[in-house]
Amino acid sequence: MAAAKLGLVGLGNLGMEFGLRAVAASRSVVAHDASPRLALAGAARADSVGAVVAAAPTVVSVVPDDAAARAVADELLAAAAGRGSDAPPLLHVSCSTISPAASASLAAAHAAAGVGYVAAPVFARPENMRAGQASFAVSGGDAALRARAVTDALACAAPRERCFDYGDAPGAANVAKLCGNFLIAASIEALGESLALAEGHGVDREAVLAMLASTIFDCAIYRGYGGRVAGRDHAPGGFALHHGLKDVGLVQKAAQDARVPMPLGSLLVDQFTAASNDAALAGLDWSALGLHVSKNAGVDASSK
């Protein structure tokens, strides 16, 4: 039996790559984005979230923040109310990086409407999604609903062993995602500072990074973001600086809610705020935090 049609809401950098993988996996996809200029090659185009719901029993959303996630959910649940009693059960898989509190609120609204909800925030840059290197933190609903989310949606982008199950609490996956993004943001800050130190002493920053990323810090984050920071390659198209500011803000709020001291988190909020307010950096990838660090260190950021 052919797989049921898959709905997709959100065709930003990451959502677009997810959709392309779904199409490449021979899934029948119907896609919508708030921007009418964005369309997914190989997919049917929907002019609203409601049209996606009408066409697909499983809907994946990939949107930038809490407000956008709530707006999508409001439209989705309104459309769900008009589905016939013989329609298959509707499932919404939220792959967005949002606050744990927002995820819990969305789950409650979905449950009240009789619609399944699974939080599945994704770890991937667009190029990682394209290469099949995404990972998902998954929670909410029950085990059967999460298994359906993996089979019907997430399998397009990641094997089952890269879908990490955090249980029934819908906000749990979002906490795990914020833990990961906090560590990435902290790594970018640390890379910026350490390479500015090298450069301040006249030592080639790229040579230092090559040693570190091939020995004691031989891991994807230090190789990938280290290469961007060392080479000052912060071209837009991956993960924008203002999204980084949003995420470290979510980390700070989650820490406050749990009364967990995170002094490094406060530093990151200050650093990302200052970098985002710099007109020369505002449109760049979030790794451009390294340029802000260089400027603070008095290093000539126009050179490598």
Side-chain angles (χ1 to χ4, degrees), residues 77 104-117:
L77 295 178
S105 175
L106 292 178
H110 282 68
V115 175
Y117 174 86

PDB file of all heavy atoms in Angstrom, residues 77 104-117:
ATOM      1  N   LEU A  77      -5.874  23.297  13.904  1.00  0.00           N
ATOM      2  CA  LEU A  77      -6.977  22.786  14.734  1.00  0.00           C
ATOM      3  C   LEU A  77      -8.326  23.283  14.243  1.00  0.00           C
ATOM      4  O   LEU A  77      -9.327  22.556  14.320  1.00  0.00           O
ATOM      5  CB  LEU A  77      -6.744  23.181  16.190  1.00  0.00           C
ATOM      6  CG  LEU A  77      -5.502  22.550  16.838  1.00  0.00           C
ATOM      7  CD1 LEU A  77      -5.334  23.032  18.267  1.00  0.00           C
ATOM      8  CD2 LEU A  77      -5.568  21.026  16.790  1.00  0.00           C
ATOM      9  N   ALA A 104       4.029  22.284  25.567  1.00  0.00           N
ATOM     10  CA  ALA A 104       3.015  21.702  26.451  1.00  0.00           C
ATOM     11  C   ALA A 104       1.648  22.317  26.195  1.00  0.00           C
ATOM     12  O   ALA A 104       0.619  21.619  26.186  1.00  0.00           O
ATOM     13  CB  ALA A 104       3.426  21.901  27.905  1.00  0.00           C
ATOM     14  N   SER A 105       1.619  23.622  25.973  1.00  0.00           N
ATOM     15  CA  SER A 105       0.359  24.301  25.690  1.00  0.00           C
ATOM     16  C   SER A 105      -0.241  23.817  24.371  1.00  0.00           C
ATOM     17  O   SER A 105      -1.452  23.580  24.271  1.00  0.00           O
ATOM     18  CB  SER A 105       0.592  25.812  25.644  1.00  0.00           C
ATOM     19  OG  SER A 105      -0.580  26.504  25.268  1.00  0.00           O
ATOM     20  N   LEU A 106       0.592  23.658  23.357  1.00  0.00           N
ATOM     21  CA  LEU A 106       0.105  23.162  22.072  1.00  0.00           C
ATOM     22  C   LEU A 106      -0.426  21.734  22.204  1.00  0.00           C
ATOM     23  O   LEU A 106      -1.456  21.388  21.619  1.00  0.00           O
ATOM     24  CB  LEU A 106       1.224  23.211  21.032  1.00  0.00           C
ATOM     25  CG  LEU A 106       1.700  24.594  20.604  1.00  0.00           C
ATOM     26  CD1 LEU A 106       2.849  24.483  19.607  1.00  0.00           C
ATOM     27  CD2 LEU A 106       0.563  25.401  19.991  1.00  0.00           C
ATOM     28  N   ALA A 107       0.278  20.918  22.967  1.00  0.00           N
ATOM     29  CA  ALA A 107      -0.173  19.534  23.154  1.00  0.00           C
ATOM     30  C   ALA A 107      -1.550  19.490  23.803  1.00  0.00           C
ATOM     31  O   ALA A 107      -2.410  18.695  23.406  1.00  0.00           O
ATOM     32  CB  ALA A 107       0.840  18.767  23.993  1.00  0.00           C
ATOM     33  N   ALA A 108      -1.757  20.352  24.801  1.00  0.00           N
ATOM     34  CA  ALA A 108      -3.062  20.388  25.475  1.00  0.00           C
ATOM     35  C   ALA A 108      -4.168  20.815  24.521  1.00  0.00           C
ATOM     36  O   ALA A 108      -5.272  20.241  24.520  1.00  0.00           O
ATOM     37  CB  ALA A 108      -2.998  21.339  26.671  1.00  0.00           C
ATOM     38  N   ALA A 109      -3.885  21.810  23.678  1.00  0.00           N
ATOM     39  CA  ALA A 109      -4.883  22.281  22.711  1.00  0.00           C
ATOM     40  C   ALA A 109      -5.208  21.193  21.694  1.00  0.00           C
ATOM     41  O   ALA A 109      -6.369  21.004  21.308  1.00  0.00           O
ATOM     42  CB  ALA A 109      -4.375  23.539  22.011  1.00  0.00           C
ATOM     43  N   HIS A 110      -4.186  20.472  21.253  1.00  0.00           N
ATOM     44  CA  HIS A 110      -4.414  19.376  20.297  1.00  0.00           C
ATOM     45  C   HIS A 110      -5.242  18.264  20.938  1.00  0.00           C
ATOM     46  O   HIS A 110      -6.162  17.734  20.315  1.00  0.00           O
ATOM     47  CB  HIS A 110      -3.076  18.828  19.799  1.00  0.00           C
ATOM     48  CG  HIS A 110      -2.402  19.662  18.758  1.00  0.00           C
ATOM     49  ND1 HIS A 110      -1.881  20.905  19.024  1.00  0.00           N
ATOM     50  CD2 HIS A 110      -2.173  19.431  17.439  1.00  0.00           C
ATOM     51  CE1 HIS A 110      -1.341  21.403  17.920  1.00  0.00           C
ATOM     52  NE2 HIS A 110      -1.517  20.531  16.946  1.00  0.00           N
ATOM     53  N   ALA A 111      -4.909  17.912  22.186  1.00  0.00           N
ATOM     54  CA  ALA A 111      -5.644  16.851  22.865  1.00  0.00           C
ATOM     55  C   ALA A 111      -7.115  17.213  23.017  1.00  0.00           C
ATOM     56  O   ALA A 111      -8.007  16.377  22.816  1.00  0.00           O
ATOM     57  CB  ALA A 111      -5.012  16.571  24.231  1.00  0.00           C
ATOM     58  N   ALA A 112      -7.381  18.482  23.346  1.00  0.00           N
ATOM     59  CA  ALA A 112      -8.766  18.920  23.501  1.00  0.00           C
ATOM     60  C   ALA A 112      -9.534  18.832  22.193  1.00  0.00           C
ATOM     61  O   ALA A 112     -10.756  18.640  22.186  1.00  0.00           O
ATOM     62  CB  ALA A 112      -8.796  20.357  24.023  1.00  0.00           C
ATOM     63  N   ALA A 113      -8.822  18.959  21.073  1.00  0.00           N
ATOM     64  CA  ALA A 113      -9.457  18.892  19.756  1.00  0.00           C
ATOM     65  C   ALA A 113      -9.437  17.486  19.165  1.00  0.00           C
ATOM     66  O   ALA A 113      -9.914  17.274  18.041  1.00  0.00           O
ATOM     67  CB  ALA A 113      -8.747  19.855  18.799  1.00  0.00           C
ATOM     68  N   GLY A 114      -8.863  16.525  19.900  1.00  0.00           N
ATOM     69  CA  GLY A 114      -8.799  15.156  19.402  1.00  0.00           C
ATOM     70  C   GLY A 114      -7.781  14.958  18.298  1.00  0.00           C
ATOM     71  O   GLY A 114      -7.918  14.060  17.464  1.00  0.00           O
ATOM     72  N   VAL A 115      -6.730  15.775  18.302  1.00  0.00           N
ATOM     73  CA  VAL A 115      -5.677  15.705  17.278  1.00  0.00           C
ATOM     74  C   VAL A 115      -4.379  15.287  17.957  1.00  0.00           C
ATOM     75  O   VAL A 115      -4.023  15.804  19.021  1.00  0.00           O
ATOM     76  CB  VAL A 115      -5.486  17.065  16.580  1.00  0.00           C
ATOM     77  CG1 VAL A 115      -4.306  17.023  15.606  1.00  0.00           C
ATOM     78  CG2 VAL A 115      -6.766  17.468  15.851  1.00  0.00           C
ATOM     79  N   GLY A 116      -3.659  14.354  17.350  1.00  0.00           N
ATOM     80  CA  GLY A 116      -2.381  13.918  17.901  1.00  0.00           C
ATOM     81  C   GLY A 116      -1.318  14.995  17.761  1.00  0.00           C
ATOM     82  O   GLY A 116      -1.285  15.729  16.760  1.00  0.00           O
ATOM     83  N   TYR A 117      -0.459  15.091  18.751  1.00  0.00           N
ATOM     84  CA  TYR A 117       0.644  16.065  18.713  1.00  0.00           C
ATOM     85  C   TYR A 117       1.916  15.401  19.219  1.00  0.00           C
ATOM     86  O   TYR A 117       1.923  14.792  20.296  1.00  0.00           O
ATOM     87  CB  TYR A 117       0.330  17.277  19.591  1.00  0.00           C
ATOM     88  CG  TYR A 117       1.470  18.270  19.715  1.00  0.00           C
ATOM     89  CD1 TYR A 117       1.646  19.275  18.773  1.00  0.00           C
ATOM     90  CD2 TYR A 117       2.372  18.197  20.774  1.00  0.00           C
ATOM     91  CE1 TYR A 117       2.698  20.182  18.882  1.00  0.00           C
ATOM     92  CE2 TYR A 117       3.421  19.101  20.888  1.00  0.00           C
ATOM     93  CZ  TYR A 117       3.582  20.094  19.940  1.00  0.00           C
ATOM     94  OH  TYR A 117       4.611  20.987  20.048  1.00  0.00           O
TER      95      TYR A 117
END
